Structures are given as structure tokens and as C-alpha cells.
Amino acid sequence: MGADSNDEAVQKIRKFVEKYCEKSGTYPHPDNEVTESVVQGLANHLVTLGKPLCPCRFYPNKEEEVKHRTWICACDDMQIYKYCHCLLFVNQQGLPITEYLPEDHEGRKTYGIVKDPTPDKGRALRHNAEEREADRKQRPS
């Protein structure tokens, strides 16, 4: 697809980020280079795959991954735990919210417990946390 499609996708993703920050009570990363890199990656996937697949993960088959929905922005981890692997949706200091993550999650190990400044916002899929944790524990390490 052409440059117009990419420019349109970037604008669409920027608008999504703005609206999702309002909805979830988060902020875009304070380092604009971080935010812009993720926005560009999401826009690229929107153009090439038709969906804003998380650009911060490795996928053996991106087209197959899109079918699962797990890593479409805002990903399941963001909607369940309010945790953004990409650091796109963070607190005002630029840290990902880790308060709701399982104790042994890599986000908790890396950042410690980062409290949610707006617990009344976000986490639309919080009811899936127990099921998600059971699935995670069944996967081989």
C-alpha cells in the first residue's frame, strides 16, 4: 500500500492512543521516541495485516497471530491487567502498571509493583484474569 495509506494509518493509531489513554486512565510514554516507535509499528501492521498487531513481540506467523486477537492493540494483557509490554500505555512517570499482574509475571519482576493511579478506569476484560492465569501456567516454560 502507498504512503497515503501509511499516513492515514499513523493518524488513526494516534487518535486511538489518545482515546484509549482517556478510557484506560493511562498516558502515552513521556519519551516521544518510544511512543512514536510503537505508533509506527502499529500503523505498519494496520496497513500490512489489517489489524494493529503489537509490534513489540516476535511472531512466527503474523497473519496467523492476527486471527487469535490476543496481541491486537489494546492487547489482552492491557485489557485484563492494564499492563502494556510496549510501554505505550503507562503512568505519568513512564512506567507500566503492574499492580494487577500475577506475582511471577516478568513485568512484576522487572518493574516491581507499580500502582494504578486510576483503578476506576480500564481493564475491560478483568473478568478473564483467572482464566488467563490458568492458561499461562499450563504452557511449557
Side-chain angles (χ1 to χ4, degrees), residues 7 12 17 26 32-33 38 66-67 69 72 77 87 91 99 103 107 120-121 125 130 133 139:
D7 290 345
K12 188 173 185 176
V17 169
T26 59
N32 193 49
E33 285 186 37
V38 179
V66 166
K67 295 176 188 175
R69 201 285 144 240
I72 303 287
D77 276 2
L87 301 178
N91 68 12
E99 176 179 358
E103 287 183 25
D120 57 323
K121 291 186 172 186
L125 300 179
E130 283 184 33
E133 182 59 11
R139 277 186 248 134

Side-chain angles (χ1 to χ4, degrees), residues 100-127:
Y100 309 111
L101 290 171
E103 287 183 25
D104 63 341
H105 191 281
E106 86 264 354
R108 274 250 184 124
K109 291 176 183 175
T110 302
Y111 299 102
I113 296 176
V114 178
K115 293 285 189 180
D116 181 358
T118 56
D120 57 323
K121 291 186 172 186
R123 298 186 64 219
L125 300 179
R126 72 183 75 193
H127 60 278

Side-chain angles (χ1 to χ4, degrees), residues 31-52:
D31 181 339
N32 193 49
E33 285 186 37
V34 173
T35 299
E36 194 57 26
S37 292
V38 179
V39 165
Q40 291 293 329
L42 289 168
N44 179 56
H45 283 159
L46 184 60
V47 170
T48 60
L49 301 168
K51 298 285 183 184

Side-chain angles (χ1 to χ4, degrees), residues 9 12-13 16-17 35-79 84-86 88-89 132:
K12 188 173 185 176
I13 295 296
F16 165 75
V17 169
T35 299
E36 194 57 26
S37 292
V38 179
V39 165
Q40 291 293 329
L42 289 168
N44 179 56
H45 283 159
L46 184 60
V47 170
T48 60
L49 301 168
K51 298 285 183 184
L53 187 65
C54 175
C56 301
R57 302 190 69 79
F58 171 76
Y59 310 100
N61 183 328
K62 291 179 183 180
E63 291 79 9
E64 194 60 35
E65 195 62 45
V66 166
K67 295 176 188 175
H68 297 289
R69 201 285 144 240
T70 303
W71 297 110
I72 303 287
C73 190
C75 71
D76 285 1
D77 276 2
M78 187 63 196
Q79 293 191 55
C84 181
H85 293 265
C86 296
L88 180 58
F89 302 111
R132 185 71 180 283

